[in-house]
């Protein structure tokens, strides 16, 4: 069973307090349709945030487990962890010094092309390894819910853009309030 982090509970309390304040305001000063718009947007925004968190958490755990497997096959020639953090693309490693008289335009272009290929190879690798974070079933469902709810409100003629945007803003505002407090 998954344990709930204290930070998550704090975020949840702030979100619910802001949402409850929004509901009370809507009931007293607005109407039921205004409250419905804010609540649908709040729920959609909360689902997108939670889905993003879960998918990226899964992605990080998968990458950590793959790093643990790599550590089993580590050789003495591998770079140490500090060097990997400071220089992930291995740009500052030792290289053979080329005398200036042998350094031609073609040689410089070849060196630059070689270094660019190292960066490009790592960038493409990062895209594929992190693809699970931004193309997950959780996020697809959450964005689908948000889009479906928008169209449902709009097609029934009860969509209020200002109320919907206020409802969407509860989660980012709650995150800021949680971090500040």
């Amino acid at each position: 069973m998954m344990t709930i982090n204290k930070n998550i509970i704090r975020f949840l309390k702030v979100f619910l307090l802001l949402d409850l304040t929004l509901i009370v305001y809507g009931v007293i000063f607005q109407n039921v349709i205004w409250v419905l718009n804010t609540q649908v947007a709040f729920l959609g925004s909360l689902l997108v945030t939670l889905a993003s968190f879960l998918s990226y958490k899964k992605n990080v755990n998968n990458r950590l487990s793959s790093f643990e497997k790599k550590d089993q096959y580590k050789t003495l020639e591998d770079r140490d962890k500090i060097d990997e953090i400071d220089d992930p693309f291995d740009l500052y490693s030792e290289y053979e010094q080329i005398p200036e008289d042998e350094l031609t335009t073609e040689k410089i272009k070849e060196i630059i092309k070689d270094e660019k290929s190292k960066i490009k190879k790592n960038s493409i690798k990062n895209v594929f390894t992190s693809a699970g974070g931004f193309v997950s079933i959780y996020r697809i469902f959450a964005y689908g819910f948000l889009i479906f709810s928008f169209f449902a409100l709009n097609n029934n003629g009860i969509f209020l853009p200002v109320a919907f945007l206020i409802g969407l803003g509860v989660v980012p505002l709650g995150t800021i309030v949680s971090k500040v407090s």
Side-chain angles (χ1 to χ4, degrees):
M1 187 167 160
M2 196 167 83
T3 60
I4 298 178
N5 191 342
K6 290 181 183 179
N7 288 333
I8 294 174
I9 292 173
R10 186 179 62 184
F11 279 115
L12 188 60
K13 285 179 183 177
V14 171
F15 292 154
L16 293 178
L17 179 68
L18 287 173
D19 189 46
L20 186 63
T21 305
L22 194 61
I23 291 171
V24 169
Y25 170 80
V27 168
I28 294 172
F29 297 108
Q30 300 295 331
N31 56 21
V32 175
I33 294 173
W34 194 89
V35 173
L36 178 67
N37 275 268
T38 59
Q39 294 310 294
V40 166
F42 168 72
L43 184 61
S45 178
L46 189 62
L47 284 176
V48 167
T49 304
L50 289 174
S52 298
F53 172 76
L54 291 174
S55 62
Y56 283 117
K57 180 181 177 187
K58 182 179 176 184
N59 191 17
V60 167
N61 287 337
N62 288 342
R63 289 184 82 174
L64 284 175
S65 67
S66 70
F67 281 136
E68 290 170 359
K69 290 176 186 173
K70 283 182 184 177
D71 285 345
Q72 295 172 356
Y73 305 108
K74 192 173 185 178
T75 64
L76 294 175
E77 298 167 355
D78 287 346
R79 300 178 343 153
D80 63 349
K81 293 294 180 192
I82 295 173
D83 193 27
E84 287 180 13
I85 292 169
D86 288 342
D87 185 17
F89 299 116
D90 197 24
L91 297 175
Y92 301 107
S93 61
E94 295 296 323
Y95 61 94
E96 89 178 61
Q97 187 72 22
I98 301 172
E100 275 191 45
D101 57 342
E102 293 180 18
L103 203 57
T104 63
T105 307
E106 291 79 25
K107 187 71 172 171
I108 293 172
K109 288 180 182 179
E110 180 184 330
I111 293 169
I112 291 173
K113 185 178 178 182
D114 183 46
E115 293 300 323
K116 281 185 178 180
S117 71
K118 287 181 186 176
I119 293 174
K120 189 179 284 186
K121 195 181 336 177
N122 286 331
S123 298
I124 292 170
K125 178 184 168 190
N126 284 339
V127 167
F128 285 116
T129 56
S130 64
F134 58 84
V135 183
S136 75
I137 191 71
Y138 304 126
R139 291 186 75 185
I140 292 170
F141 172 73
Y143 279 110
F145 173 81
L146 189 62
I147 292 168
F148 175 76
S149 62
F150 166 77
F151 281 119
L153 291 171
N154 194 34
N155 288 343
N156 289 316
I158 56 175
F159 176 69
L160 301 173
V162 173
F164 198 81
L165 288 174
I166 290 172
L168 284 176
V170 171
V171 173
L173 181 66
T175 304
I176 292 171
V177 168
S178 292
K179 283 301 198 180
V180 170
S181 63

